[in-house]
């Protein structure tokens, strides 16, 4: 028996050892995820240090972007990023929620899965496809039909005439915002649909039971109940829109200036980096572009953190 | 009586208008998909020929193909998946198995969700600072590393979700017959969650095969055939970017054809991946 006891002990020890190794391996991989994000932050700060120490805080407040005199400021790209994303959200949120209402309340059951899947496929299309489509199909269409009409319609209206001032390039702020709206639509729809599904049927049924119409149930019961989740989805989509690169790079026009007109070419943070990084000569130029990346990273990190926090709150309520 | 009736009618009318708007919204969503796919097929299909798959990218104004770009995309995608998948699966395993209720898991899940939606161009900048600058030149391996960083969060997320769906009774049965924890994980939990984990990997492939931004200043581009991982390498998305913005008609046509190839690949992968888990839900 002692021999068997000994081999049993050895086996148990071997099991314990391999288990400890495997556990350490998986834990290491989990920690690596944290290290990755930390590494991104540190490398961006290190890379942008020359620019930030040269320009200081005026980097964020200056509109200048001159590679020849090596004067760089981030105001124009920040402005373009925020304006395009904001317009995209304004366009995409009502449509996205509308599709979610359609899918949860109106759509005939057999069509629900295919249509839901089609909308999610929109999310899977690479952004460069939206870019090439925007440049060759969408922008010329806007340039020849929509934009001249809008310019003609508003040219006598004070305020709006500077917002929609010509000439119609086709590319520019508004075109980028519309492409972004198409791109973030699926995110808003699928998250809104998911949070709509967390509404207890009893709540909806009691509202229907006292004679509410579908719209009243949606407006007075479903949307108030899921408000936090919808906001989370909108913030998530905003995070996507802020960081979206390729689609915008194609249609924004890459002009470092802030103009009142939404039809004017402009630039965003990501489009500036994508367009200029490989051609940037000199440490200060490169470093300024990395500093732009750092600003984008900080903005999106805050927005995404808020989004995740809001979605966590509705998750815990659904679980409770 | 008449006011009650008109209130009823106005409520019904409002409902009708709002519901019609929802239908219109769904119509708009589907119409965009149809418009984009339609334009892609119309413009891309006319350029599809054998030469696209057998010839190199041409100099301006010449006919040619996309062979080196397709090859580069495949190579970098494979390396990205091979590097990123094990890390993602192991991290997801820790979160669902060993550390399901630990503080570390909560933090990693939060950070991973942020990485999942972080702008991919930031990842490109990170790898540029991490590899390209110290090495002194652009390289395919740097591009592959950038892609693998995009793979990890996707795989972590799906692995954790799928392992959490595995019933605990299965694990307890494994433990009851004396198997150590890691054997239970390997032969019970992983096996039960296999189709879900594979779905996650396929979705990751779909995501990175269309990514352009992280490759722009890591792998750069290459006009010629190159299988050297330590040198710049062409990829389909970056080639499309370069060719689409060029004034040459041949290049623009190749860009459309490349766009069609990428879209069909990505859509095919996502539909296949979804059908893997879709069957599970129906059961």
């Amino acid at each position: 028996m002692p021999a068997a006891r000994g081999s049993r002990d050895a086996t148990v020890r071997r099991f314990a050892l391999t288990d400890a190794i495997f556990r350490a391996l998986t834990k290491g991989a989990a920690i690596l995820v944290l290290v990755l994000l930390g590494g991104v932050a540190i490398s961006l700060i290190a890379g942008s240090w020359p620019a930030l120490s040269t320009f200081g805080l005026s980097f964020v407040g200056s509109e200048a972007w001159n590679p020849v005199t090596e004067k760089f400021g981030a105001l124009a790209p920040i402005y373009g990023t925020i304006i395009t994303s904001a317009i995209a959200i304004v366009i995409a949120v009502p449509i996205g929620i509308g599709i979610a209402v359609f899918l949860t309340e109106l759509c005939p059951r057999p069509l629900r899965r295919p249509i839901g899947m089609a909308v999610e496929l929109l999310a899977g299309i690479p952004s460069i496809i939206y870019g090439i489509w925007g440049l060759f199909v969408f922008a010329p269409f806007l340039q020849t039909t929509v934009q001249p009409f809008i310019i003609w319609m508003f040219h006598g209206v004070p305020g709006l005439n500077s917002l929609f001032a010509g000439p119609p390039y086709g590319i520019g702020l508004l075109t980028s915002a519309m492409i972004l709206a198409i791109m973030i639509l699926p995110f808003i729809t699928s998250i809104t649909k998911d949070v709509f599904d967390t509404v207890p049927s009893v709540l909806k049924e009691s509202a229907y039971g006292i004679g509410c119409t579908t719209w009243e149930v949606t407006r007075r019961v479903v949307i108030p109940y899921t408000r936090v989740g919808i906001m989370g989805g909108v913030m998530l989509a905003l995070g996507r829109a802020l960081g979206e690169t390729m689609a915008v790079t194609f249609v924004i026009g890459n002009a470092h200036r802030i103009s009142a007109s939404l039809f004017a070419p402009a630039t965003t943070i990501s489009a500036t980096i994508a367009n200029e990084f490989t051609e940037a000569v000199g440490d200060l130029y490169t470093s300024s572009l990395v500093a732009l990346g750092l600003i984008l990273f900080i903005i999106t990190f805050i927005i995404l953190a808020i989004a995740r926090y809001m979605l966590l709150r509705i998750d815990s309520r659904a679980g409770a | 009586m008449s006011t009650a009736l008109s209130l009823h009618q106005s409520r019904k009318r409002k409902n009708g208008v709002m519901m019609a708007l929802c239908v219109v919204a769904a119509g708009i969503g589907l119409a965009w998909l149809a418009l984009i796919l339609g334009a892609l097929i119309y413009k891309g299909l006319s350029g599809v020929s054998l030469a696209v798959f057998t010839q190199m990218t041409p100099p301006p104004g010449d006919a040619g193909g996309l062979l080196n770009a397709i090859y580069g995309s495949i190579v970098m995608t494979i390396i990205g998946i091979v590097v990123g998948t094990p890390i993602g699966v192991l991290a997801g395993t820790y979160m669902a198995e060993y550390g399901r209720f630990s503080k570390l898991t909560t933090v990693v899940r939060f950070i991973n969700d942020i990485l999942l939606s972080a702008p991919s161009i930031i990842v490109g900048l990170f790898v540029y600072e991490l590899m390209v600058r110290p090495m002194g030149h652009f390289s395919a391996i740097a591009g592959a590393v950038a892609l693998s960083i995009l793979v990890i969060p996707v795989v972590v997320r799906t692995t954790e979700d799928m392992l959490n769906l595995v019933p605990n009774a299965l694990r307890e049965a494994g433990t009851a017959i004396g198997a150590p924890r890691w054997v239970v994980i390997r032969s019970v939990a992983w096996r039960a969650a296999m189709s879900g984990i594979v779905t996650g990997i396929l979705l990751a492939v779909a995501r990175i095969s269309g990514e352009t931004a992280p490759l722009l200043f890591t792998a750069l581009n290459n006009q010629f055939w190159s299988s050297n991982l330590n040198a710049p390498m062409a990829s389909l998305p970056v080639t499309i970017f370069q060719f689409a913005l060029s004034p040459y008609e041949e290049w623009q046509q190749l860009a459309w054809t490349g766009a069609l190839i990428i879209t069909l690949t990505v859509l095919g992968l996502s539909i296949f991946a979804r059908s893997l888990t879709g069957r599970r839900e129906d059961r």
Side-chain angles (χ1 to χ4, degrees), chain B residues 9-142:
Chain B
Q9 270 169 349
S10 85
R11 282 176 59 206
K12 264 184 82 174
R13 202 175 311 128
K14 195 169 180 189
N15 183 53
V17 170
M18 295 315 292
M19 291 306 120
L21 283 179
C22 289
V23 175
V24 169
I28 291 175
L30 290 178
W32 283 125
L33 185 66
L35 277 175
I36 293 175
L37 287 182
L40 259 182
I41 291 170
Y42 175 72
K43 299 227 180 190
L45 213 54
S46 59
V48 174
S49 65
L50 197 61
V52 171
F53 301 99
T54 55
Q55 290 180 20
M56 305 299 151
T57 46
D62 253 351
L66 293 165
L67 179 62
N68 51 340
I70 294 172
Y71 170 81
S73 269
I74 292 174
V75 166
M76 285 189 283
T77 303
I78 289 175
I79 299 177
I81 289 290
V82 166
V83 174
T85 304
I87 298 172
V89 169
L90 285 175
T93 305
Y94 176 81
M95 292 159 72
E97 300 286 337
Y98 287 113
R100 189 177 283 198
F101 304 106
S102 75
K103 196 113 191 128
L104 176 66
T105 299
T106 318
V107 178
V108 171
R109 189 182 299 135
F110 190 75
I111 295 296
N112 188 67
D113 279 348
I114 286 180
L115 273 179
L116 195 62
S117 353
S120 54
I121 194 154
I122 299 284
V123 172
L125 282 178
F126 170 55
V127 174
Y128 177 86
E129 296 287 341
L130 186 74
M131 296 181 70
V132 177
R133 199 196 279 271
M135 286 161 75
H137 58 86
F138 301 101
S139 67
I141 200 76

Side-chain angles (χ1 to χ4, degrees), chain A residues 18-19 120 128 211 215-216, chain B residues 11 15 98 122 126 182 237 274:
Chain A
T18 44
D19 202 42
E120 277 180 31
I128 191 161
W215 166 244
E216 283 161 352
Chain B
R11 282 176 59 206
N15 183 53
Y98 287 113
I122 299 284
F126 170 55
W182 76 281
R274 268 164 233 275

